[in-house]
Amino acid sequence: MSTLLSNGEPEAGAVNEGAVRETCSWELRAAKVGSLDIRRALPVRDRRLIGPWCFLDRYGPLTFTEGKPMDVAPHPHTGLQTVSWLFEGEVLHRDSLGFEQVIRAGELNLMTSGRAIAHSEESPRGASGSLSGIQLWIALPDADRNGEPTFEHHPRLPVVSASGAATSVFYGAAAGERSPATSFSPALGAEIRLPAGSEAELPLDESFEHGLLLIDGDLESNGGRILGDRFYYLQPGNASIDLRSDRGCVMMLIGGAPFGEKIVMWWNFVGRSFEEIERFRKEWDRGERFGEVKGYRGSRLEAPPLKPRIPPTPAS
Ligand code: MN
């Protein structure tokens, strides 16, 4: 059983016993994706990966009456999977394989870049006017990262209802249910809903490290209050996590076996060396390798200048 700590410091009332697997948290940082305000939870300086998860952006909740709050022009990816998961609203995905797919709350868009893919993401015409969601990236293991690109849309995902919590498993496996999404390493991605006045003990895979993000409502975990503007990390070795909510809440849980491979992330590329990243960038510049996204109105994103020591903001 773990105790949730802030920045490695015990919170008031926290118990730090010998068996406790230490946990820490950090503040989400504000960034922009196009004109959309986002809050980035991963990566941070001291934590690049949680299992294979290497990127987590939170956007919304917001409302709009005109325009497209989400408008990310065609851009390339390598060596990763992108997970799009919404709580409200719609996002239209288009990619260089020819897929065009609107995603809504509770549905999964999963894009596997393999060696190379390009895509755009935007608020579709006739959108409801609300938007709230997350975008995640999963690093592909070396053995799979040069495979063929694919795209999957899963409109229905397994929901496990146990001890007061409803858990939608959108990636990997949890509580005996497995997401239909294609995965390449042991991992978990789930949305958990707790009704008002409920308590639940969620079993965890002890070999996994985990990350927890409160999306809406109030949450206490293992005796500590969980804040919506922070991201919580749990080391491997936790067999379960206690959750309690007074008013009800929605939260995200990601996890996985420690990845064990060193990755290099630059802009929207995941690779293994700077030379490789340099080549991906050149190929995108020249219109090679990634194919073309058809149907998007406007020009594609240009790769930022290559400055080895300064990783540019990803387009997500
Ligand atoms: Mn992207």
Side-chain angles (χ1 to χ4, degrees), residues 24 26-31 38-58 134-139 188 209-213 230-233 253-256 263 265 267 313-314 316:
C24 65
W26 53 85
E27 200 170 346
L28 307 187
R29 68 182 189 283
I38 64 100
R39 286 167 294 150
R40 187 154 294 151
L42 261 187
V44 288
R45 188 191 297 265
D46 298 325
R47 177 56 53 193
R48 315 302 296 182
L49 289 156
I50 296 179
W53 302 92
C54 58
F55 183 88
L56 197 170
D57 268 0
R58 164 86 176 113
I134 55 168
Q135 156 106 185
L136 302 127
W137 296 355
I138 301 159
L188 154 73
E209 50 189 348
H210 291 88
L212 190 158
L213 178 66
R230 298 188 75 82
F231 189 68
Y232 294 79
Y233 171 78
L253 184 70
I254 60 171
I263 63 168
M265 264 176 79
W267 194 38
T313 306
S316 97

Side-chain angles (χ1 to χ4, degrees), residues 12-279:
V15 180
N16 203 347
E17 292 163 357
V20 167
R21 304 301 300 185
E22 276 207 5
T23 303
C24 65
S25 72
W26 53 85
E27 200 170 346
L28 307 187
R29 68 182 189 283
K32 288 240 181 212
V33 169
S35 61
L36 180 64
D37 288 312
I38 64 100
R39 286 167 294 150
R40 187 154 294 151
L42 261 187
V44 288
R45 188 191 297 265
D46 298 325
R47 177 56 53 193
R48 315 302 296 182
L49 289 156
I50 296 179
W53 302 92
C54 58
F55 183 88
L56 197 170
D57 268 0
R58 164 86 176 113
Y59 51 87
L62 60 89
T63 57
F64 59 102
T65 51
E66 56 183 29
K68 295 193 286 186
M70 171 77 79
D71 190 5
V72 189
H75 59 278
H77 285 293
T78 59
L80 55 70
Q81 293 183 291
T82 64
V83 165
S84 296
W85 184 259
L86 295 181
F87 309 103
E88 280 178 71
E90 309 81 13
V91 170
L92 168 62
H93 159 99
R94 287 190 175 100
D95 64 41
S96 50
L97 302 174
F99 286 97
E100 188 174 318
Q101 181 67 56
V102 173
I103 180 186
R104 295 183 174 79
E107 303 176 348
L108 173 70
N109 270 6
L110 178 74
M111 185 178 78
T112 302
S113 77
R115 58 182 297 278
I117 201 166
H119 74 148
S120 64
E121 292 155 294
E122 57 191 313
S123 303
R125 203 174 291 186
S128 59
S130 62
L131 183 63
S132 175
I134 55 168
Q135 156 106 185
L136 302 127
W137 296 355
I138 301 159
L140 290 171
D142 196 45
D144 302 297
R145 71 189 182 98
N146 292 306
E148 290 303 307
T150 56
F151 174 80
E152 299 166 35
H153 173 69
H154 296 286
R156 275 185 204 84
L157 293 150
V159 180
V160 187
S161 293
S163 58
T167 305
S168 301
V169 185
F170 60 80
Y171 194 85
E177 288 285 349
R178 174 163 284 279
S179 163
T182 304
S183 59
F184 294 87
S185 42
L188 154 73
E191 177 197 287
I192 300 165
R193 287 176 184 267
L194 288 175
S198 63
E199 258 179 83
E201 186 180 350
L202 209 71
L204 299 178
D205 185 324
E206 278 187 81
S207 68
F208 282 13
E209 50 189 348
H210 291 88
L212 190 158
L213 178 66
L214 177 63
I215 300 295
D216 190 30
D218 69 289
L219 175 63
E220 248 182 53
S221 179
N222 296 347
R225 184 159 173 234
I226 301 298
L227 304 173
D229 58 357
R230 298 188 75 82
F231 189 68
Y232 294 79
Y233 171 78
L234 291 86
Q235 285 185 343
N238 290 291
S240 68
I241 184 170
D242 289 334
L243 305 170
R244 201 177 78 81
S245 181
D246 291 332
R247 291 176 284 118
C249 74
V250 182
M251 58 165 272
M252 304 295 309
L253 184 70
I254 60 171
F259 194 58
E261 292 179 35
K262 201 167 162 53
I263 63 168
V264 177
M265 264 176 79
W266 186 88
W267 194 38
N268 305 306
F269 303 131
V270 174
R272 293 296 183 275
S273 69
F274 186 68
E275 291 67 36
E276 202 176 47
I277 299 288
E278 218 168 3
R279 194 175 78 241

